[in-house]
Amino acid sequence: MNRYSFLLLFFFFMLPAVAQVSDKVAYKTIENISYRTSNDTYANERCRLDLYYPEASKDFVTIVWFHGGGLSGGNKFIPQQLKEAGYAVVAVNYRLLPKATLTDCIDDAAAAVAWVFKEIGKYGGNPHKIVVSGHSAGGYLTNMIGLDKKWLSKYDINADSIAALVPFSGHAISHFAYRQSKGMKDTQPSIDEFAPLYYVRPDAPPLVIVSGDRDLEMLGRYEENAYFWRMMKVAGHQKVFLYELDGYDHGSMADPAFHILKSHVKKLF
């Protein structure tokens, strides 16, 4: 084989690799976007989000992601498992206890989701393809703004416009931090206006509930979510799903739960 023939063969076999590189979607991250204005310094500091999106794409899905931390800690981040998957991710910071109230936390979550509905089209996203998800405290916030419609209606958004709610190990009863603030023990459950279970209804967005192993989860978290799932079914909801991740505790369940999230996103769109 002469040198000329060798070069032709080399470029022939390299063409698929070159095409693959050129077809790769480019993603852009814009950090610390303010999603609300306030005279409160703490609110201005915390009420920010990061937007990660496929830069040259159109009509893409957006996943709003709320971090965990018991409503008293944690910071926004773009989950590695959601990167380069063809859709945008919006990672949200919200005010935290005890500097803020529980109402502030939920209201911030609603304001952030409203921002996504109103602004994502400017970046190429489809406002009809917005999925809300989060782990632990983030799962609780997902449930609250998706089930109790008053939070988003304040921002002229119908909660039922959310394409799906996917809480990872989120409370269905009143959050433990809220119960602690009322002098209640962690082992004393309550269902009141700050409990997603209080707002069970048949016309809520599709709901994908993911929990860790019932024997490894926190304080019966699987069982409260199983009851949440059952009551949604009893109420007549047609698109509610429950997953228990055997062998995974409260913290570690998030990693495999992303597979379930992405699987349902694929089915939806």
Side-chain angles (χ1 to χ4, degrees), residues 114-131:
W115 182 94
V116 177
F117 269 97
K118 294 172 182 178
E119 301 293 329
I120 198 63
K122 297 176 183 178
Y123 301 91
N126 187 332
H128 299 292
K129 297 180 179 180
I130 295 172
V131 175

Side-chain angles (χ1 to χ4, degrees), residues 76-88:
K76 58 182 167 58
F77 65 97
I78 306 295
Q80 186 63 42
Q81 298 91 331
L82 299 180
K83 291 184 176 180
E84 298 187 358
Y87 36 70

Side-chain angles (χ1 to χ4, degrees), residues 62-71 75-77 79 82 89-92 94 109 113 131-145 162 164-171 207-212 217 221 225 250-251 253-255 257-258 261:
T62 301
I63 297 175
V64 182
W65 177 255
F66 294 115
H67 68 80
L71 296 176
N75 280 294
K76 58 182 167 58
F77 65 97
L82 299 180
V89 182
V90 175
V92 181
Y94 47 89
V113 170
V131 175
V132 181
S133 185
H135 178 226
S136 193
Y140 168 77
L141 294 175
T142 297
N143 286 333
M144 282 301 298
I145 65 170
I162 297 171
L165 305 166
V166 191
F168 293 9
S169 195
H171 266 306
L207 177 61
V208 182
I209 305 168
V210 191
S211 169
E217 266 285 7
R221 187 67 57 89
N225 275 291
H250 182 73
M253 63 78 64
D255 191 54
F258 282 112
L261 167 59

